[in-house]
Amino acid sequence: MTVLSLSKALNEGMRKAMEDDPKVLIMGEDVGKLGGVFRVTDGLQKDFGEDRVIDTPLAESGIIGTAIGLALRGYRPVCEIQFDGFVFPAADQIITQLAKMPMRSLGAIKLPVVVRIPCGGGIGAVEHHSESPEAYFTHTAGLRVVACSNPADAYVMIQQAIRSDDPVIFFEPKRRYWEKADIDTGSTDWWTPLDKGRVVRPGTDVTLLAYGPMVKTCLEAAKAAEDDGRSLEVIDLRSLNPLDAPLVMDSVRRTGRVVVVHEAPVNSGFGAELAARITEQCFYHLESPVLRVGGFSTPYPPSKLEEYYLPDLDRVLDAVDRAFGY
Amino acid sequence: MTVDASRGAEAPPELVQLLTPEGERVEHPDYDIDLKPEEVRSLYRDLVLVRRIDLEAVALQRQGELGIWASLLGQEAAQIGSGRALTDADMAFPTYREHGVAWCRDVDPVKLLGLFRGVNHGGWDPREHNFHLYTIVIGSQTLHAVGYAMGIQRDDASAAAIAYFGDGATSQGDVNESFIWASVFNAPIVFFCQNNQWAISEPLEKQTRIPLYRRASGFGFPGVRVDGNDVFACLAVTRQALKNAREGQGPTLIEAFTYRMGAHTTTDDPTRYRVASELEAWKLKDPIERVKSYLFKNELADQAFIESVEAEADQLGADLRRRCLAMPDPQPLDMFDHVYAEPHPLIDEERAQFAAYLEGFRD
Ligand SMILES: Cc1ncc(C[n+]2csc(CCOP(=O)(O)OP(=O)(O)O)c2C)c(N)n1
């Protein structure tokens, strides 16, 4: 057992992947000597050299575009996008090229490219540093989209993402980077497959669906609700595309009530997809509409306001109250 | 507004040329090429055959067999010259108009039609002939080429990548990013810009205030402008640039100064934006005619040879037509294939639902 923070767990996961497979490359802005602005790639260039941990020019389209070329040559690039709000210059390469090229080649081409994106708010940053762009990517066929929420998953999921022959958009909850956990790095027995979700707290009255940074918030809400005599089940979706729909539907059929929680704006957010699917598949099991808690339809606000924008324990519990009001 | 007919047709002084429009061999201080008679005849054959593939495809589009076609008419020398400079180990990254390069890479011409007929988005296995899929999004492939070249570097292989793009593409961020990447990583790549003077209706002046090859110097690597209608010069210059790349001397930008004789694609109407005299001026620089003159002047070929190539072209055209019409339509459920390399439950679910829905129509 080793105690690792989420960022260190990612680092160890990447290190393991690089040791296991000489074709794995790390690339991005400042990932070398600096170890990334969040130090997630700390020490990797020192140990694997500049050819495998590549400090790139400051150009996101270039990072993804050249990663595609390296993947065509048999490499497995892991790209770091420095912050969520800077993925948009690369969106063209991700959406028009990375996602579609394998299908265009009728499967002849595989693009095992991982795009790591530190996402979400809560760290008091300036604009463009606190966003949750997942829905842009879950909407794009050909990409896998996953979000880790804790150090153990971070350690496992990054290795699975690197091993996947599909392109993976990998969201890292930046405000959880410093949280620590005990991790068994010596065994893979406990690993959950990359495209499976997990019930992180069983309950009987309401299902809370969350991923990334909101999993912890939901766990806190569930704990608080216990005092009111309510039993909340918390699911960490882990994978958004594909979604572990059986896990979700099974829970909804048991509880009859659902609250979806994410940081991204509610409007056209990933919660809308969940609500629609649940309504289609579990209509007669529902005691109340699927409720969504998330950001507003505003740009991510200045940091002095982010505590109002971000879903917290009280907003989650408020939604739970509303779910019981039907 | 149309543009002055002389625009772009003047041969600028810095142009590398080894064969004049009249079919005279000329010397250049930096580039030379020593071609055996059969090599010249073979280049001539390539030029004629790809022109025929292109003409046949245009005809097929007119008859409703292709949804659209991007013609290479006028750009044969740029493509055959550069394409014949490649070795098997080199990797080419085309746009959507590189039918001549595809020919040099031994890609079956009928496979080029799939994308334009709407039966697939690609049609060939890029690894089979080291010829990547056509790329529709302007400029994207230049970055893929640089990444691939960085892979060559890491593999310590004796090979280079070549990225094809147009004059319009030079305005794209991706192309500029690819120049930066190639330069700072000293990647073994050749950027081959076919400056055909037009990006659909937009003339070169809408993309640049300086000759395109000079862009390279700002990124820190050499740029050279070659007569894009001169197959000898295109071959010589590309060969040298590829050699430099393979030998660790980094990228080169080649601007092949040429002209798009046809419409941008079969849906375009060039009479709306360019004057006929411009076309006339460029007709005098035809890439095929000048090789033919050279062959005759030097008694390297006779009329019988020319006719045998024509006959071969007729046959190729007829064969392409026959095989285009025989191309099977894809099946409805095919669209769910190859979206992911690994199993994906959502795709499986939707495929099954759609299959059940289709089944409902069967009697
Ligand atoms: C990013 C992007 N924007 C617009 C288009 C539509 N479009 C297709 S071809 C073209 C002009 C390209 O001109 P150029 O790069 O000079 O190449 P050419 O076709 O002349 O060889 C445009 C605008 C596109 N395919 N991709």
Side-chain angles (χ1 to χ4, degrees), chain B residues 45 49 103 307-317:
Chain B
R45 175 178 171 269
L49 295 186
W103 172 257
E307 280 165 21
S308 75
V309 175
E310 277 312 315
E312 195 183 351
D314 288 346
Q315 213 181 18
L316 180 64

Side-chain angles (χ1 to χ4, degrees), chain A residues 164-194:
Chain A
S164 171
D165 277 339
D166 285 315
V168 180
I169 308 295
F170 193 95
F171 284 105
E172 302 169 2
K174 67 170 86 82
R175 66 166 132 154
R176 309 284 182 222
Y177 270 147
W178 301 278
E179 284 172 14
K180 294 196 171 133
D182 238 4
I183 298 175
D184 178 3
T185 52
S187 144
T188 57
D189 296 346
W190 55 279
W191 288 23
T192 305
L194 184 61

Side-chain angles (χ1 to χ4, degrees), chain A residues 23 25 27 50-52 54-70 72-73 75 89 92-93 96-97 99 101-110 140-144 163-167 195 241-243 245 277 281, chain B residues 89 91 93 115 120-127 130 132-141 143-155 157 159 172 174 177 180-181 184-185 335 337-347 349-350:
Chain A
K23 294 290 185 185
L25 306 175
M27 52 197 289
E50 291 181 19
D51 275 354
R52 291 194 63 197
I54 308 167
D55 266 326
T56 68
L58 209 170
E60 286 73 15
S61 193
I63 294 171
I64 306 302
T66 53
I68 290 170
L70 282 157
L72 291 174
R73 184 85 198 169
Y75 288 87
D92 169 34
Q93 284 287 345
T96 70
Q97 308 298 320
M101 202 183 284
M103 184 267 287
R104 293 179 55 230
S105 73
L106 303 180
I109 288 173
K110 292 187 174 65
T140 301
L143 302 174
R144 289 175 187 269
R163 239 177 259 164
S164 171
D165 277 339
D166 285 315
D195 59 0
N241 185 7
L243 174 70
R277 269 184 182 269
Q281 293 180 31
Chain B
M91 179 76 186
F93 288 82
L115 176 77
N120 56 45
H121 288 322
W124 59 90
D125 180 346
R127 299 163 309 180
N130 271 1
H132 191 65
L133 299 172
Y134 278 176
T135 297
I136 304 284
V137 181
I138 299 295
S140 286
Q141 77 284 0
L143 283 166
H144 309 157
V146 175
Y148 192 92
M150 289 166 68
I152 292 174
Q153 231 170 7
R154 277 162 181 70
D155 296 345
Q172 281 285 348
D174 277 5
E177 291 186 24
I180 293 167
W181 242 265
V184 300
F185 290 107
M335 67 180 145
D337 292 345
H338 309 301
V339 181
Y340 293 90
E342 296 177 15
H344 192 282
L346 181 60
I347 296 284
E349 178 192 322
E350 291 184 6

Side-chain angles (χ1 to χ4, degrees), chain B residues 61 66-70 115-117 265-267:
Chain B
Q61 193 282 331
L66 302 179
I68 190 175
W69 179 252
L115 176 77
F116 299 96
R117 192 170 162 85
T265 66
T266 44
T267 60

